[in-house]
Amino acid sequence: LSQDTMVLENVPQILDVRLMSDIIRDLGGDVTVEGHKVTINTADVKSGELNAELVAKMRASFLFIIPLLHRFGKVVFPHPGGDSIGRRPIDMTLDFLLAMGAEIKTKPYSYEVKSKKRLKGINYTFKWVTHTGTEAIIMAAVLAEGETIIKNAAMEPEVVALAEYLNKAGARIKGAGTPTIVIEGVETLGGGICAIIPDRIEVGTYAILGALCGDPVTVTNCRPDHLDVLWKYFDLMGIKYELGESSVKVWKSLPCKTEQIKTHEYPWFITDIQPPMTLLLTQAEGLGIMHETIYDGRLFFTDLLNKMGADIIM
């Protein structure tokens, strides 16, 4: 989105980050990694054609479509990879790009997206809440012509963090963290420094582990306020924990009470920590219910828990 240098801090050293860096380098950009600090400059990127082999390794690679479309007016993009819960479509991203004036050709193994002129601002309503789709349309709208109003937008902390960084880089975004986001397009964006927020899914996973373990588990450098619904369930189930400003300590709390839990988009109980919570329910007293409303594939692991002695009916 910018030809200026961008510095990312607090970056996790994980495979997806390495893959994203490899895609940028393959396009001609410069990426330097020093521990948890990543410096990126894409001024020398010369093409909007993405490497099929790299893109096939991760679904989030489709986020490159919009920045490259802004830069070159054309992107050739293979279908992004899937993950362990299956291949997920990018139909909503293609839908809003069409509405913003892009032309899209769908081929057997790729997409070709063109925009002969600057994307135009639109009033767009998502058919259902989409986390990554919301981030994608924000990136489309910040450099589009005119105003974009996004309705039924995702409210995750990562969406807010993206908007805050883009605003520091010169964007005009209001309402991130609410169901309606209003964006006034600008001509250019700068670079700058962006500190990556703590991973709430990891925090929740370790907190649940603490309720199951022997010794207390303390998670530091986190944002407990990003997991308010999890702490509500801990209260209902009788799990002992203590929240600090940037930490959470959890004690083994078995046997605990069981609960009925339904996954939902943020700020409700998030689907990503459903599997460890389902494991916790196997150690609770009584009949618990886990209702997965986002991805049914995220319940298939329960067969393996049954082989280990759990009593789960799907």
Side-chain angles (χ1 to χ4, degrees), residues 152-172:
N152 202 24
M155 297 185 286
E156 276 83 357
E158 296 79 23
V159 172
V160 177
L162 173 65
E164 288 175 348
Y165 169 73
L166 289 171
N167 280 341
K168 285 193 291 184
R172 297 174 184 169

Side-chain angles (χ1 to χ4, degrees), residues 63-123:
L63 287 171
F64 282 102
I65 293 176
I66 288 156
L68 291 171
L69 186 63
H70 280 310
R71 182 79 68 92
F72 301 108
K74 178 182 177 181
V75 184
V76 178
F77 187 80
H79 199 288
D83 53 29
S84 58
I85 58 172
R87 191 174 288 276
R88 292 180 274 175
I90 59 170
D91 56 319
M92 286 186 275
T93 296
L94 299 178
D95 184 57
F96 72 67
L97 283 174
L98 281 171
M100 297 178 89
E103 300 173 9
I104 299 172
K105 291 182 181 178
T106 303
K107 299 180 179 181
Y109 301 104
S110 66
Y111 304 98
E112 184 179 279
V113 184
K114 289 182 179 180
S115 179
K116 294 177 183 176
K117 53 186 179 180
R118 190 176 171 194
L119 295 175
K120 63 178 186 290
I122 55 171
N123 190 325

Side-chain angles (χ1 to χ4, degrees), residues 42-216:
T42 62
D44 291 333
V45 170
K46 297 292 191 294
S47 167
E49 187 159 348
L50 285 143
N51 183 308
E53 185 178 342
L54 293 173
V55 167
K57 294 179 180 179
M58 64 181 300
R59 178 177 180 268
S61 58
F62 85 88
L63 287 171
F64 282 102
I65 293 176
I66 288 156
L68 291 171
L69 186 63
H70 280 310
R71 182 79 68 92
F72 301 108
K74 178 182 177 181
V75 184
V76 178
F77 187 80
H79 199 288
D83 53 29
S84 58
I85 58 172
R87 191 174 288 276
R88 292 180 274 175
I90 59 170
D91 56 319
M92 286 186 275
T93 296
L94 299 178
D95 184 57
F96 72 67
L97 283 174
L98 281 171
M100 297 178 89
E103 300 173 9
I104 299 172
K105 291 182 181 178
T106 303
K107 299 180 179 181
Y109 301 104
S110 66
Y111 304 98
E112 184 179 279
V113 184
K114 289 182 179 180
S115 179
K116 294 177 183 176
K117 53 186 179 180
R118 190 176 171 194
L119 295 175
K120 63 178 186 290
I122 55 171
N123 190 325
Y124 189 81
T125 302
F126 280 108
K127 64 180 181 181
W128 61 61
V129 177
T130 162
H131 184 170
T132 319
T134 298
E135 293 168 337
I137 195 172
I138 287 172
M139 291 197 295
V142 289
L143 292 175
E145 184 180 354
E147 182 181 75
T148 296
I149 300 173
I150 308 162
K151 297 177 182 175
N152 202 24
M155 297 185 286
E156 276 83 357
E158 296 79 23
V159 172
V160 177
L162 173 65
E164 288 175 348
Y165 169 73
L166 289 171
N167 280 341
K168 285 193 291 184
R172 297 174 184 169
I173 305 167
K174 295 179 180 178
T178 76
T180 303
I181 301 173
V182 180
I183 302 172
E184 186 65 38
V186 297
E187 293 282 345
T188 60
L189 292 172
I193 300 173
C194 177
I196 303 302
I197 61 174
D199 188 330
R200 60 198 165 93
I201 299 164
E202 282 200 342
V203 176
T205 300
Y206 283 116
I208 293 167
L209 189 65
L212 290 160
C213 286
D215 295 331

